[in-house]
Structures are given as C-alpha cells and as structure tokens.
C-alpha cells in the first residue's frame, strides 16, 4: 500500500507458519488388566530413524525410574503378581536429538478366576479353598458322575485306604513299586489302593493293627490322623508340653505327642470349645484342611 502524500509504501501482511516437529509416537501404549499369574505387556508404536526406547516405572516416591533391560517397543511382564497391581509405566522414545514420553499406563492385576472343581463343594463352603486345592492338584479325584461332574462328599468320613491314597499322591513318590506279597493280611495286590497302602507301610507311617490287618474301609480317627501326619513329616524332634493344649486330651493318652504337635504347627486348631475329639472319625473336608495346611505352612 502506498501513501502518496508522505511518499511511504507499506507491504502486505506476511504470515509465518512454523511446522510442528513430527511426533515420534504414532500409537500410545494402553493400560492392561490381567489375572494374577498371567503375562502382561505394553507396546508403543513410533516412527523415526534409529529409535531407542526406555521404559520407566513410577516409584513409591512418585519419581520415574528406568526399568532395567526394558529397551524395546514392548514392555513384558512374564507373570503379573498382586504386588504389581496398580503399577504405572511410561516409555521415553528417542530419535537423534528428538525425545518424546508416552502417556502413562497402568497394570491392573485381578484375582485368579476360581473354578469349582467338585459339584458338591460350592465357593461358600467353609473349606472350599482346601478341597478345591485337593482336586486341582490331583490329590483327590472324587466320584465322577454320569454328567461328567465330580463329587467330593465333604462330610463323609475318610477311609484308611483313601487316606493312604491322599498321602501317596502328595508325596510325589511315583517311583515306588508295591511288593508282590502284601504286608497286611486283609489286603491283596488286587485291592483298590493296594500300592498306596503298601507305600504308607513302607515309610513307617502306618503300622496296621496287632493282628496284621490294615482295615482299609475303617474311618480314620482324629488321633490316628495326627500320628500319620507326624510320621509323614519324618517324626520331627518335638517336646510335647506338660499341659495339654486340648481339654479332652491328657498327656498320658495314646498319640498325645502327635496331637500336640499338630496344634503347635497350626495344622489343627481343635474345636471352639477347646476340645480335639481324638476318637471322632475325621471328615473328608477337615482332612483336606489338614493336608492343605501341611503343604502350605504358615508357621
């Protein structure tokens, strides 16, 4: 534009456009939810020359810390634990002198999906965890029904033959060979659980009765069960207390030491009234609880 009176000329307005630098990250990583024990991974997609990656985790103090060895586009967690629930991550992507930090992602770890193994042991059963463990671990097969479901019959008594089977399976002693001649006069090599009962005898866990019988279909009483479990654990050195931990068990009683040992190890807490009820037949649900505590000690 020209001003004739003043002899000045003004140009047209010019617009300077500055192009933004191209972003390195073309697809942000996404938060992940997995079940406990499952693998998890986060992936970022980026474009550029000579890309480098460094994943970072947010510490308890709120600062970001490099994850050792996490220098690829994907951050992998081989097994998500409950301790990792809520963990936050980000990745720093670089190309030459360019650097870009991704959005923050979160790892959510949920409880494992629980599958009911036995049809007659619902999730609200007092000993669901212990009985389900018996099934999923292969220690108890239960009774298979016509529809393919399995029953555990938790309130039935545990027979001496089935008890032998439980203990044998838990031991993992798969190389044991049963003798051709039975150590007990009331069982033969064709008897169900013959191998398992012989194994129990060979380990000194069950001695049978003075008349040479095993009595496989008799129920296991709570005092005998304590003796079996004490011997199964190698008859550890243990000094029984001078005063009984149970109101219905005296120090001179058969298997007193073994019953007191059960209590000392947290394997049996007895009944709310302070009794142990030694000559009561043990039910299959309680047996599962004892075995579970033995294999998953808290003391």
């Amino acid at each position: 534009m020209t001003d004739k009176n003043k002899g000045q000329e003004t140009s047209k307005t010019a617009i300077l456009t500055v192009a933004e630098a191209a972003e390195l990250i073309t697809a942000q990583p996404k938060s992940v939810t997995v079940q406990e024990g499952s693998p998890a991974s986060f992936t970022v997609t980026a474009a550029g020359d000579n890309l480098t990656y460094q994943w970072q985790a947010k510490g308890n103090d709120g600062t970001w810390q490099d994850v050792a060895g996490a220098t690829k586009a994907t951050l992998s967690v081989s097994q998500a634990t409950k301790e990792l629930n809520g963990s936050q991550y980000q990745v720093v992507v670089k190309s030459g002198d360019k650097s870009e930090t991704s959005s923050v992602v979160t790892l959510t770890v949920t409880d494992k999906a629980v599958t009911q193994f036995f049809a007659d042991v619902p999730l609200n059963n007092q000993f669901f965890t212990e009985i389900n463990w018996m099934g999923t671990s292969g220690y108890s097969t239960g009774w298979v029904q016509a529809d393919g479901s399995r029953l555990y019959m938790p309130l039935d008594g545990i027979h001496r033959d089935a008890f032998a089977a439980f203990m044998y399976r838990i031991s993992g002693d798969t190389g044991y060979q049963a003798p051709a001649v039975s150590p007990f006069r009331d069982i033969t090599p064709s008897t169900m659980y013959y191998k398992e009962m012989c194994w129990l005898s060979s380990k000194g866990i069950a001695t049978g009765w003075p008349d040479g019988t095993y009595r496989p279909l008799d129920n296991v009483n709570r005092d005998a069960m304590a003796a079996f479990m004490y011997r199964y654990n190698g008859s550890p050195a243990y000094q029984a207390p001078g005063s009984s931990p149970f109101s219905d068990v005296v120090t001179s009683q058969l298997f007193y030491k073994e019953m007191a040992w059960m209590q000392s190890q947290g394997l049996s807490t007895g009944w709310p009234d302070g009794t142990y009820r030694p000559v009561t037949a043990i039910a299959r649900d309680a047996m599962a609880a004892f075995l579970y505590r033995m294999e998953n000690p808290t003391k």
Side-chain angles (χ1 to χ4, degrees), residues 85-108:
N85 182 43
S87 297
Q88 293 185 310
Y89 303 92
Q90 64 181 21
V91 60
V92 179
V93 182
K94 293 182 179 180
S95 175
D97 58 355
K98 297 178 182 177
S99 177
E100 185 177 352
T101 301
S102 74
S103 57
V104 176
V105 290
T106 301
L107 173 61
T108 301

Side-chain angles (χ1 to χ4, degrees), residues 62-75:
T63 62
W64 290 98
Q65 302 167 1
D66 290 351
V67 178
T71 56
K72 296 182 179 180
T74 296
L75 171 65

Side-chain angles (χ1 to χ4, degrees), residues 198-273:
C198 288
W199 174 84
L200 211 64
S201 172
S202 73
K203 297 298 182 182
I205 298 171
T207 57
W209 299 87
D211 63 1
T213 60
Y214 182 81
R215 305 180 190 180
L217 298 183
D218 281 5
N219 286 329
V220 178
N221 286 347
R222 289 170 59 86
D223 57 354
M225 179 272 305
F228 289 152
M229 295 185 70
Y230 177 77
R231 296 168 192 161
Y232 174 85
N233 283 276
S235 299
Y238 171 71
Q239 182 64 48
S243 298
S244 174
F246 303 109
S247 62
D248 61 341
V249 176
V250 298
T251 58
S252 59
Q253 192 164 331
L254 181 65
F255 302 138
Y256 167 69
K257 177 180 180 178
E258 292 84 346
M259 290 182 280
W261 173 82
M262 287 279 289
Q263 190 272 343
S264 73
Q265 299 301 302
L267 303 180
S268 175
T269 57
W271 299 85
D273 62 1

Side-chain angles (χ1 to χ4, degrees), residues 285-299:
D285 59 353
M287 185 75 255
F290 291 146
L291 295 177
Y292 179 85
R293 294 168 192 161
M294 181 181 73
E295 291 298 292
N296 301 274
T298 57
K299 286 193 176 183

Side-chain angles (χ1 to χ4, degrees), residues 5-16:
N5 297 323
K6 296 182 179 181
Q8 296 179 344
E9 186 175 348
T10 303
S11 70
K12 295 182 179 179
T13 301
I15 299 176
L16 174 64

